[in-house]
Amino acid sequence: MTRRIVVDTDTGIDDAHTLLYLAGRPDAEIVAVTSVFGNCVEPDAARNIAYVNRLLGLDVPIARGAAEPLTGTAHIAGYVHGKDGLGDVGYDRPLPETSGESAAELLVRLGREQPGELDLLALGPLTNLGQALRLDPELFTRYRSVVLMGGSGPYAPPGTLLMVDANINNDPEAARAVFSAPRNELVMVGVNVTATTILDEVAINALRAAGTPVARFATEILDAYLDFYQNEWGRRIIPLHDPLAAGILLDPTFATASADGPVNVRTDGFLARARLMRTHDGLPPAFPYQPAPPTRVVTEVDAARFVADFVEVLTR
């Protein structure tokens, strides 16, 4: 079965990889793409969508979205993805032509026009989704599923450290609206699992050796990402954050364990995270929390099988 997907993205390096992966999967059809701030400023996110679409020969609607969170100021991760979001390689990236419809308006319109037929894949801060829910509080019930890259899973075992939950932290208010909204299915693919899905030196060399336009582009933009993550692990390797969310949307068996329950967005005064209101051993947390509809929270993945599929698709 082909999944028809609307992608909401802050088009950095792993977002671009995700578009390449979706375009290469025979069971995926990208229906539209919307831009949001995050890995880069929103105009660069829109430019990057258009550049990747041209590379892929993909002609689908692009709608421009939020340049800042619902409240507060935008945090831009140029130190991870390069200032332009694609590693500052120097591509010619004109702004795309759009109809003038905002990202939130496009998400609402497509959901109403094709109820139950589309999946929504959110790869950046959830601001566009939060704005769309203000226009249509029942929005998620009109999509077959909503899959997002963000969150931190259940509470981790004591002594465990997690990567920054950037997409949630960049707009906690929008994230709270998303996790409290009615839905058909909401799947959270968080940093608790994406950080384990590693594109290592062998896989990167396989991409470089492929020589296809897609594989060449995928590796051309990697240096900024590798520069950042070498400070995390001491190796020039990267996690496949956004691609894993796309993979689980298309093939849920990439997720080998999950738990359903309420997700709350909470802050420790420094960073905000979205968490399943359970401890690692299935107990409720030691504090009151807000009720919410159940979200499917991925807790374990078959990282090796997904990485192999990702490399195979991009080198095909």
Side-chain angles (χ1 to χ4, degrees):
M1 179 181 297
T2 299
R3 304 297 286 259
R4 304 180 62 237
I5 303 167
V6 180
V7 182
D8 183 70
T9 174
D10 57 341
T11 332
I13 292 167
D14 60 327
D15 306 71
H17 286 166
T18 304
L19 294 174
L20 302 179
Y21 176 71
L22 289 172
R25 286 278 303 236
D27 53 352
E29 176 189 351
I30 299 173
V31 173
V33 190
T34 57
S35 62
V36 67
F37 76 95
N39 292 329
C40 52
V41 295
E42 184 280 326
D44 277 326
R47 293 175 189 274
N48 295 345
I49 292 167
Y51 183 86
V52 176
N53 284 1
R54 286 196 303 274
L55 175 68
L56 294 169
L58 189 63
D59 183 15
V60 299
I62 298 172
R64 296 185 58 182
E68 57 187 11
L70 297 180
T71 60
T73 57
H75 176 82
I76 305 300
Y79 51 90
V80 181
H81 297 266
K83 183 179 178 181
D84 70 359
L86 292 182
D88 296 328
V89 176
Y91 300 119
D92 181 23
R93 304 169 303 120
L95 280 168
E97 293 184 6
T98 67
S99 67
E101 189 176 34
S102 73
E105 291 166 342
L106 178 69
L107 296 179
V108 170
R109 178 175 62 80
L110 290 177
R112 288 175 174 173
E113 289 178 351
Q114 303 176 66
E117 298 180 14
L118 304 175
D119 297 283
L120 176 55
L121 177 63
L123 304 178
L126 298 172
T127 313
N128 290 339
L129 278 65
Q131 291 177 341
L133 285 167
R134 290 178 174 180
L135 298 175
D136 182 358
E138 301 293 321
L139 175 68
F140 293 168
T141 68
R142 309 187 198 285
Y143 281 84
R144 177 176 176 174
S145 73
V146 179
V147 178
L148 60 92
M149 191 276 120
S152 298
Y155 282 91
T160 302
L161 296 177
L162 292 175
M163 287 184 176
V164 173
D165 192 354
N167 286 342
I168 304 302
N169 188 62
N170 281 348
D171 196 337
E173 182 176 338
R176 290 187 182 98
V178 166
F179 289 112
S180 63
R183 75 290 299 264
N184 289 326
E185 181 181 43
L186 178 62
V187 181
M188 185 172 89
V189 184
V191 295
N192 56 306
V193 289
T194 63
T196 70
T197 309
I198 302 299
L199 194 72
D200 65 11
E201 296 91 345
V202 172
I204 292 170
N205 287 337
L207 287 175
R208 289 196 169 118
T212 65
V214 164
R216 185 164 54 249
F217 169 71
T219 55
E220 281 176 354
I221 62 178
L222 270 182
D223 277 346
Y225 218 32
L226 293 167
D227 289 347
F228 177 79
Y229 278 107
Q230 70 184 0
N231 296 311
E232 187 75 24
W233 294 307
R235 293 167 59 188
R236 291 183 69 75
I237 57 179
I238 62 166
L240 293 172
H241 291 298
D242 292 343
L244 179 63
I248 288 172
L249 190 162
L250 295 172
D251 182 355
T253 67
F254 284 132
T256 55
S258 63
D260 291 7
V263 169
N264 281 192
V265 177
R266 299 180 62 90
T267 180
D268 58 8
F270 179 58
L271 293 172
R273 292 185 182 273
R275 291 190 186 269
L276 176 67
M277 292 293 99
R278 298 288 185 274
T279 63
H280 71 283
D281 49 2
L283 299 175
F287 49 78
Y289 59 86
Q290 295 297 316
T295 294
R296 177 152 298 169
V297 177
V298 177
T299 56
E300 295 180 31
V301 297
D302 188 341
R305 187 166 70 89
F306 172 70
V307 172
D309 183 65
F310 176 83
V311 173
E312 195 277 330
V313 169
L314 266 64
T315 57
R316 185 177 300 157

